[in-house]
Amino acid sequence: MALNKVDINVQPKEEGYVPKSKKKTFSYIQVLPVVSFALALGIWWVIAELELIRLPTPAEVIMQLYVMATGTVAGQPLHFHVYMSLQRVLIAFVIALAVGIPLGTMMGWNRRIEKIFNPIFEIFRPIPPIAWVPLAILWMGIGEAPKIFIVWVGCFVPMVVNSFTGMRYADKLLMDASRTLGATRSQQFFNVALPAALPSIFAGVQNGLSLGWMCVLAAEMIAAREGAGFLILQGMYVRNEAMIVSGMLIIGLLGFLIAIFLRYMEKVITPWRKEELV
Amino acid sequence: MNNVKLKNNFFTENYLSILSLSFFFLFWYYLVASGIVSDRILADPITTIQTFIFKLTNTSPEGATLFQHLRTSLILALTGFSLGAVIGVPLGLLMGWYKPVDALVRPLFDVLRPIPPIAWIPISIFWFGIGMFSKSFIIFVSAFVPCVINSYTGIRLTNPTLIRVAEVYGASYRETFFRVGVPSAVPMIFTGLKLALSTAWMTLVAAELLAANEGLGYMIQMGRRLARPDIIIVGMLTIGAVGALIASGLQSFDSKLSKWRS
Amino acid sequence: MKEIIKCENLCKTFFTEDGEEEVLRNINLSVKENEFLVILGPGQCGKTILLNIIAGLETATSGRVLLEGEEVKGPSPERGMVFQRIALMPWKTVIDNIELGPRLRGVPKKTRRKEALELINMVGLNGFEKAYPHELSGGMKQRVGIARAYASNPKILLMDEPFGHLDAQTRYYMEEEILRIWEQDKRTVIFVTNNIEEAVYLGDRVLIMSKLPGTIKDEHQIPMERPRDYTDQAFLEYRQEISEQTELAL
Amino acid sequence: MNQEVSSITKLEEYKKSREKKVEVRDLIKAFDDLLVLNEVNFDIYDGEFLCIVGPTGCGKTTFLNVLAKLLPATEGDILIDGVSADPKKHNIAFVFQEPSCIPWQTVEQNIRFGLEIKRLPANEINKRTEMVMELIGLTRFRNYLPKELSSSLEQRVVIARNFVMQPDIMLMDEPYGQLDVKLRYYLEDELIKTWQELKPTVLFITHNIEEAVYMAERILILSNKPTTIKSEVIVDLPRPRNFADPSFVEVRDHITDLIRWW
């Protein structure tokens, strides 16, 4: 079959190279995700029905979600628990932002500030935020304060670390370029170092938020009367596995929404970056 | 910008750090000694050191020496961590290399991925009680996810030219996986391992705070119950130091293995 | 013609823990107004460091750099620089990158915007004002680098192997482009390269540097007129003559 | 006119005196409906140094990938010794334009890479590796990592890795495109010396006409897209050739007229 001799003068974009053996499995790939979901649901249903391990069937989970959404758990409606968790994370996150990023950037930009604060920071950095729970409770009882403090530690450390590396390893070439254009030291800070460090600072914000989200769950499981973490622990105590699993799905969904929000914010704050691969 | 002074001794370079550290410890000591902060909620540095030495060999008050706590925690963390790595890394590599595996596993993985490892504690205790197995399972989950993600990214970033080099010499797609794909993913695999380790170490503490009768997490929990801030601080600093030690071990192993990177 | 830049026995030695490394040894050169001077040297011969010293990004161990007779310390907009790794601000659009110099010097918005648009036209980037660097090809990015240097209205343009990273075909084209831009808005140029053909194609005069420690080994006037042809007889003779002087950097 | 007649008879004599090694039959390559290679037909003779001259972006990388069977042809085929070319059965070598050293392997391991894929016996691999490292002067660098080599040295390692395969056909995609003229001539001389020593069949693609005339026994000229063979020229200048001598310049200008693509 003679192909039509197409007279193209525009520069053709040669197809991205795909190793030849990968290509031939293209046909049934689209079907697989559907298959795997169906498979997963099927397996879940079978295990639940046969009581191999105490696992609620998907139907029970949906029922549980409905019950919790309309009724109350430990005296509070579902959205209240979710609201409390998010509120704790938000407060801690904002404080961490206000303290962590300036400290990290200043330490990265000025050696003297680094020499002063870094040693102390290095003592506390390796301590996992959840290890602060006992001391926090000892200091602040079991109200809101200790939970917000734990989440603050979780958000604070990655923000400082990433802002520091972002500033310290900002591309020297860009600094030189700005100097040849007549930039003063402070102009270099605001016009070059800070924007160049932005992606790394933002990575710190992302890590901080996901770590903070983990910490609020831990804090709520150890000493709380409300919150998403308390929800799933409560499910454990009343031995209602449907409540645990639905609680986990809610937490997973919230985590997912936070991640989507952050990816969107990344586009807003650093619109000039290429799409990452994965 | 001019050339570095030939001989810069340690003191002139770091006098600021030494000053700030000593100020920090003095301030900490002053807070407790002067009674501004009661010694029932904060222990001064001297007491902390004394307790540290005491705990090295004594089991009181919570029933195990520091070493026994550390041993329990390490065994738990490292079993969960190595299981997570041994299963997570190969899976991530296979997902990144073979489209069918990616299409099959990816949806499941993407559903479970946003659930933080700590959220697995209740269901794990519900299923397996509060024994060793339950906590190892939780730590396995916490280490498994970062290993899969970073190995997957690592192999996806393989330089396509190197794949063609192997294929031109007649290497099958499978052989290219071992000769080119896996070695080029090694640096990212290590990034995943380091992340997995820190997550595992943190999840361990959470699990031990909730349900344990030995381990560093249990020790600091008991410190709170017995109003012994010195035991809490000793426990916290040990957790931090050991975590940092293992991380630096992994780092040196990593820099040896991927020194080929520019 | 007036002398713009003069270097008087410039030396540079790096002092590191494991001993001293002498990089430049009494470099003496002077560049006339609107002269296109090429400094040609093998890979590691300190030519980039020499350029950085003239630009004021690095200080010499001894010797002086005089701009129109006065000694200079530190960088200044009169000495515009074009870098091998291009060094555009990835977060700024093309026009913002070009306006950076004037903005830092406090030039009012309207005038610097007008100048920037003229420069974009001069370097042939019409229509790409709002593009980000990662959307541009290598050649186009370097055009922005050139426009940015011109925006500071420099007395001298310092170019550090600006086409070193481009593929062969783009490189030939960019060599023509830089000459076209230079003819349009004449400035004194010091162009550093390790490519002999590029040196013969571009330079009024070519200085050849030896391997480390870098010294000026030889000087060649290239009185051919422009635009020159890579394959014409005289060009090949100059190329051969200079090729024999340069040291092979395997 | 006679120059026309004599060049045809020269071509016939040239072809009669040699044995066919590679045959390219009605090769067509299209991405969806975009035609890139348009019925390409030519033969390559055993032990020949054939150059193909074409503008950048005339689909020469696709052309080489199809020849090396890295990319399936839409129509037509490539035969080696009469059999359809297959990287697994035949020894195909490919020097890519972009750096293709295996970054985590030393120079010696890089050179052995292809031989190990072909599963040659160990002593044969050692013998050949030592021989080619000696021939191309890389013995001194055997334990260097690619990141420690200059770009020209790295390219020589890649060339050594391909020569050592004793390939049926060695494809070279503008390996010296980025290098300075002095360095390029040095490496071209080295390439010719190695080719004369080991006698593989070489297909060398470049946009630089002077380079093609300097090295080739025969030159094929590609048209612009969609790519086809425009014309064929025999270069029977004695070696070593000199770019300044009149007969060289005459051949070079003749080819420049034939091309006229810019």
Side-chain angles (χ1 to χ4, degrees):
Chain A
M1 65 90 182
L3 282 161
N4 50 9
K5 299 280 182 302
V6 178
D7 179 17
I8 300 278
N9 47 34
V10 80
Q11 177 73 18
K13 193 172 178 313
E14 277 174 29
E15 187 209 346
Y17 177 71
V18 175
K20 72 175 179 346
S21 35
K22 240 188 209 172
K23 254 178 112 175
K24 69 176 184 318
T25 54
F26 188 76
S27 55
Y28 65 86
I29 289 270
Q30 285 127 329
V31 172
L32 276 177
V34 176
V35 167
S36 79
F37 252 122
L39 211 66
L41 277 177
I43 294 167
W44 179 3
W45 202 292
V46 165
I47 295 175
E49 287 304 327
L50 299 177
E51 301 278 344
L52 293 176
I53 49 170
R54 299 275 303 273
L55 188 65
T57 64
E60 279 165 358
V61 170
I62 296 162
M63 270 302 296
Q64 179 64 30
L65 281 170
Y66 177 73
V67 162
M68 284 204 295
T70 49
T72 61
V73 178
Q76 296 296 357
L78 175 64
H79 60 75
F80 176 75
H81 291 288
V82 168
Y83 168 74
M84 282 306 289
S85 294
L86 291 179
Q87 186 199 27
R88 287 168 187 148
V89 172
L90 190 64
I91 297 169
F93 177 70
V94 167
I95 302 170
L97 215 60
V99 179
I101 296 203
L103 177 64
T105 35
M106 286 323 295
M107 282 207 307
W109 177 251
N110 179 318
R111 285 228 185 270
R112 262 201 310 279
I113 296 178
E114 179 200 348
K115 289 283 184 222
I116 296 169
F117 291 102
N118 202 32
I120 301 169
F121 178 73
E122 279 306 318
I123 297 172
F124 298 107
R125 181 161 71 101
I127 301 172
I130 294 159
W132 284 91
V133 166
L135 208 56
I137 292 171
L138 202 61
W139 285 349
M140 310 168 212
I142 58 166
E144 283 310 295
K147 299 187 196 52
I148 291 174
F149 173 73
I150 303 296
V151 179
W152 176 77
V153 172
C155 297
F156 176 71
V157 169
M159 284 185 196
V160 173
V161 169
N162 281 2
S163 320
F164 172 77
T165 36
M167 283 303 273
R168 176 51 51 85
Y169 302 110
D171 188 350
K172 181 180 173 309
L173 194 62
L174 297 184
M175 306 299 283
D176 283 350
S178 71
R179 286 173 62 205
T180 62
L181 298 170
T184 61
R185 187 88 173 120
S186 65
Q187 282 177 328
Q188 284 171 45
F189 177 79
F190 290 105
N191 283 292
V192 182
L194 210 51
L198 218 49
S200 171
I201 292 173
F202 194 80
V205 166
Q206 274 176 311
N207 298 346
L209 194 53
S210 71
L211 200 53
W213 177 238
M214 255 196 244
C215 293
V216 77
L217 298 177
E220 284 165 357
M221 276 194 251
I222 291 163
R225 305 287 324 129
E226 44 334 276
F230 163 78
L231 215 59
I232 46 179
L233 201 68
Q234 189 62 11
M236 188 184 82
Y237 282 132
V238 304
R239 307 204 65 72
N240 170 352
E241 61 271 22
M243 187 168 162
I244 301 177
V245 170
S246 43
M248 286 171 74
L249 290 182
I250 293 166
I251 291 169
L253 185 66
L254 289 172
F256 181 66
L257 293 176
I258 291 175
I260 296 278
F261 170 70
L262 281 176
R263 215 164 289 138
Y264 167 73
M265 284 310 291
E266 181 162 34
K267 288 279 165 307
V268 168
I269 294 176
T270 56
W272 38 269
R273 286 167 71 221
K274 283 205 291 288
E275 297 326 313
E276 254 72 46
L277 178 77
V278 170
Chain B
M1 289 312 274
N2 53 25
N3 41 42
V4 171
K5 288 192 298 303
L6 257 184
K7 173 100 196 41
N8 47 33
N9 64 41
F10 178 79
F11 186 75
T12 53
E13 197 60 36
N14 300 314
Y15 69 92
L16 270 177
S17 315
I18 296 161
L19 272 180
S20 77
L21 269 176
S22 35
F23 171 76
F24 169 73
F25 283 109
L26 282 173
F27 177 69
W28 177 6
Y29 182 78
Y30 168 73
L31 268 182
V32 182
S34 64
I36 299 170
V37 173
S38 113
D39 59 6
R40 285 179 56 76
I41 62 166
L42 182 62
D44 65 70
I46 312 290
T47 328
T48 310
I49 294 168
Q50 284 158 353
T51 311
F52 173 72
I53 295 161
F54 174 80
K55 276 308 294 171
L56 284 177
T57 51
N58 288 284
T59 58
S60 81
E62 76 292 354
T65 70
L66 187 59
F67 284 118
Q68 285 158 344
H69 287 306
L70 182 58
R71 192 168 47 78
T72 317
S73 296
L74 273 179
I75 292 167
L76 217 50
L78 293 181
T79 38
F81 167 72
S82 27
L83 263 171
V86 160
I87 298 170
V89 169
L91 181 65
L93 292 173
L94 290 171
M95 272 167 70
W97 193 255
Y98 290 96
K99 277 254 183 297
V101 176
D102 187 18
L104 200 63
V105 175
R106 193 67 184 279
L108 229 55
F109 185 76
D110 282 344
V111 165
L112 300 178
R113 179 166 133 183
I115 301 174
I118 288 167
W120 285 88
I121 293 179
I123 194 80
S124 169
I125 293 174
F126 181 78
W127 281 340
F128 313 117
I130 67 161
M132 270 280 286
F133 183 80
S134 150
K135 286 199 275 288
S136 304
F137 172 73
I138 299 161
I139 294 164
F140 159 74
V141 169
S142 72
F144 174 73
V145 170
C147 285
V148 173
I149 297 171
N150 284 279
S151 314
Y152 176 87
T153 319
I155 202 160
R156 297 280 292 178
L157 295 177
T158 311
N159 176 352
T161 307
L162 300 183
I163 297 174
R164 276 180 282 170
V165 166
E167 289 196 334
V168 156
Y169 293 140
S172 65
Y173 194 59
R174 195 174 58 76
E175 189 176 358
T176 312
F177 170 75
F178 289 106
R179 282 189 184 276
V180 172
V182 173
S184 90
V186 160
M188 275 299 273
I189 291 174
F190 265 97
T191 315
L193 291 178
K194 277 182 262 178
L195 198 57
L197 185 76
S198 71
T199 318
W201 194 240
M202 186 172 77
T203 313
L204 164 82
V205 172
E208 283 181 343
L209 284 179
L210 269 166
N213 41 37
E214 204 175 72
L216 294 172
Y218 172 74
M219 175 179 162
I220 56 178
Q221 182 72 314
M222 284 310 289
R224 178 177 67 81
R225 291 215 180 95
L226 305 166
R228 288 285 302 279
D230 53 338
I231 290 189
I232 300 179
I233 295 170
V234 164
M236 285 170 69
L237 291 177
T238 314
I239 294 170
V242 169
L245 218 62
I246 305 174
S248 66
L250 209 56
Q251 175 60 34
S252 62
F253 199 57
D254 172 20
S255 44
K256 225 181 15 285
L257 261 180
S258 31
K259 61 182 186 312
W260 52 270
R261 280 173 71 84
S262 52
Chain C
M1 275 199 295
K2 197 154 67 86
E3 182 191 69
I4 298 291
I5 280 269
K6 189 170 189 346
C7 298
E8 283 167 357
N9 38 51
L10 280 178
C11 298
K12 178 71 182 179
T13 310
F14 280 111
F15 301 92
T16 53
E17 295 83 38
D18 39 40
E20 294 170 14
E21 197 200 351
E22 189 186 13
V23 175
L24 293 176
R25 183 182 293 160
N26 8 20
I27 302 289
N28 284 293
L29 62 89
S30 93
V31 192
K32 301 284 174 298
E33 191 171 14
N34 294 345
E35 184 183 20
F36 201 112
L37 175 75
V38 172
I39 299 180
L40 175 66
Q44 307 292 344
C45 68
K47 52 187 187 303
T48 301
I49 292 163
L50 171 60
L51 209 63
N52 283 342
I53 291 172
I54 298 173
L57 293 174
E58 261 177 75
T59 49
T61 315
S62 66
R64 300 191 312 163
V65 176
L66 303 164
L67 178 63
E68 286 175 331
E70 292 150 55
E71 187 168 355
V72 288
K73 283 266 178 294
S76 71
E78 288 107 17
R79 287 160 289 155
M81 186 123 172
V82 180
F83 297 84
Q84 176 168 15
R85 280 196 327 156
I86 307 180
L88 295 181
M89 308 296 166
W91 56 86
K92 286 184 184 303
T93 59
V94 164
I95 193 152
D96 292 342
N97 260 294
I98 295 172
E99 280 187 28
L100 181 57
R103 189 164 66 79
L104 291 175
R105 295 200 315 280
V107 170
K109 185 153 178 32
K110 212 159 46 54
T111 36
R112 67 172 193 249
R113 174 56 54 127
K114 189 168 72 62
E115 269 167 28
L117 289 172
E118 273 160 28
L119 284 171
I120 284 180
N121 183 34
M122 182 172 93
V123 293
L125 281 175
N126 300 338
F128 290 94
E129 292 80 0
K130 285 282 171 278
Y132 282 107
H134 73 79
E135 293 162 329
L136 303 176
S137 71
M140 290 160 82
K141 278 195 264 220
Q142 197 54 293
R143 290 167 197 265
V144 179
I146 294 165
R148 175 178 67 179
Y150 261 102
S152 307
N153 193 9
K155 289 196 175 67
I156 182 162
L157 268 174
L158 306 169
M159 302 183 130
D160 179 17
E161 288 185 61
F163 312 139
H165 284 288
L166 305 179
D167 66 84
Q169 211 71 5
T170 322
R171 187 171 199 155
Y172 297 148
Y173 190 58
M174 281 306 288
E175 283 161 10
E176 282 163 29
E177 276 297 283
I178 189 68
L179 283 182
R180 176 181 64 76
I181 296 167
W182 180 66
E183 301 284 356
Q184 224 175 328
D185 187 342
K186 272 269 172 65
R187 295 295 153 95
T188 312
V189 171
I190 302 183
F191 188 99
V192 160
T193 181
N194 63 358
N195 187 311
I196 296 169
E197 283 173 317
E198 191 167 75
V200 174
Y201 186 78
L202 294 175
D204 293 330
R205 188 162 55 109
V206 177
L207 299 181
I208 300 175
M209 279 184 76
S210 63
K211 273 195 185 157
L212 286 177
T215 57
I216 305 244
K217 228 172 71 158
D218 205 344
E219 179 179 328
H220 286 267
Q221 294 289 350
I222 314 262
M224 284 200 288
E225 265 162 89
R226 294 191 178 91
R228 297 165 181 167
D229 172 1
Y230 263 77
T231 54
D232 114 74
Q233 201 46 36
F235 187 94
L236 292 178
E237 270 149 28
Y238 278 114
R239 188 184 84 178
Q240 183 58 22
E241 197 185 304
I242 289 178
S243 178
E244 267 138 24
Q245 294 293 329
T246 55
E247 290 160 44
L248 186 64
L250 255 180
Chain D
M1 242 320 273
N2 54 17
Q3 204 234 3
E4 209 54 56
V5 169
S6 72
S7 75
I8 293 171
T9 47
K10 219 166 41 171
L11 263 173
E12 269 143 25
E13 268 148 36
Y14 179 93
K15 292 184 178 174
K16 266 211 285 323
S17 64
R18 291 175 185 241
E19 218 190 283
K20 276 188 192 166
K21 182 68 178 179
V22 177
E23 292 154 65
V24 178
R25 289 287 162 267
D26 316 323
L27 199 63
I28 292 179
K29 177 62 188 177
F31 295 108
D32 308 330
D33 58 1
L34 176 67
L35 186 63
V36 176
L37 299 180
N38 175 13
E39 282 180 25
V40 176
N41 271 295
F42 67 96
D43 302 330
I44 310 175
Y45 297 90
D46 194 14
E48 182 184 31
F49 199 108
L50 172 70
C51 273
I52 293 193
V53 182
T56 315
C58 70
K60 72 176 173 26
T61 308
T62 313
F63 178 67
L64 283 176
N65 280 333
V66 173
L67 283 188
K69 289 296 177 89
L70 291 173
L71 210 54
T74 313
E75 257 182 61
D77 198 2
I78 299 110
L79 313 177
I80 297 182
D81 301 327
V83 174
S84 175
D86 171 8
K88 290 187 171 54
K89 286 206 288 296
H90 296 111
N91 266 336
I92 300 174
F94 198 143
V95 176
F96 295 95
Q97 185 171 10
E98 60 277 8
S100 58
C101 259
I102 314 276
W104 55 84
Q105 292 188 338
T106 63
V107 165
E108 185 179 354
Q109 287 163 341
N110 256 288
I111 294 175
R112 305 164 67 92
F113 185 73
L115 302 172
E116 275 156 8
I117 291 179
K118 295 285 180 190
R119 307 273 189 288
L120 290 175
N123 53 25
E124 176 64 14
I125 293 181
N126 293 340
K127 187 164 68 61
R128 284 202 207 171
T129 309
E130 292 307 325
M131 179 273 295
V132 89
M133 277 202 292
E134 198 50 44
L135 189 62
I136 300 188
L138 293 170
T139 325
R140 195 155 57 83
F141 301 101
R142 62 186 330 142
N143 295 323
Y144 281 53
L145 285 173
K147 73 170 184 171
E148 295 159 328
L149 305 174
S150 69
S151 58
S152 61
L153 250 177
E154 198 175 333
Q155 199 62 326
R156 289 164 74 202
V157 172
V158 170
I159 287 171
R161 178 178 71 199
N162 282 291
F163 264 115
V164 90
M165 304 291 290
Q166 293 168 0
D168 298 315
I169 173 71
M170 183 147 130
L171 308 170
M172 301 182 81
D173 184 358
E174 206 156 352
Y176 308 135
Q178 297 293 50
L179 302 179
D180 170 51
V181 64
K182 187 179 175 81
L183 201 51
R184 208 172 60 236
Y185 270 112
Y186 178 86
L187 296 176
E188 281 158 7
D189 292 340
E190 183 183 74
L191 178 64
I192 293 297
K193 180 167 69 68
T194 320
W195 166 68
Q196 284 166 337
E197 181 87 15
L198 303 175
K199 296 222 175 350
T201 310
V202 175
L203 171 63
F204 187 101
I205 259 195
T206 177
H207 75 283
N208 184 324
I209 300 166
E210 184 182 291
E211 184 174 42
V213 176
Y214 185 74
M215 293 199 294
E217 292 181 307
R218 183 166 62 115
I219 296 179
L220 297 179
I221 295 153
L222 292 186
S223 68
N224 220 321
K225 273 223 168 97
T227 314
T228 185
I229 304 292
K230 212 165 142 180
S231 49
E232 195 177 354
V233 172
I234 299 295
V235 181
D236 48 13
L237 299 169
R239 288 188 197 277
R241 296 170 180 166
N242 174 354
F243 64 86
D245 111 60
S247 53
F248 184 100
V249 173
E250 188 208 334
V251 175
R252 190 197 64 201
D253 293 345
H254 172 52
I255 292 173
T256 316
D257 302 339
L258 284 172
I259 295 173
R260 273 290 155 269
W261 61 63
W262 61 62

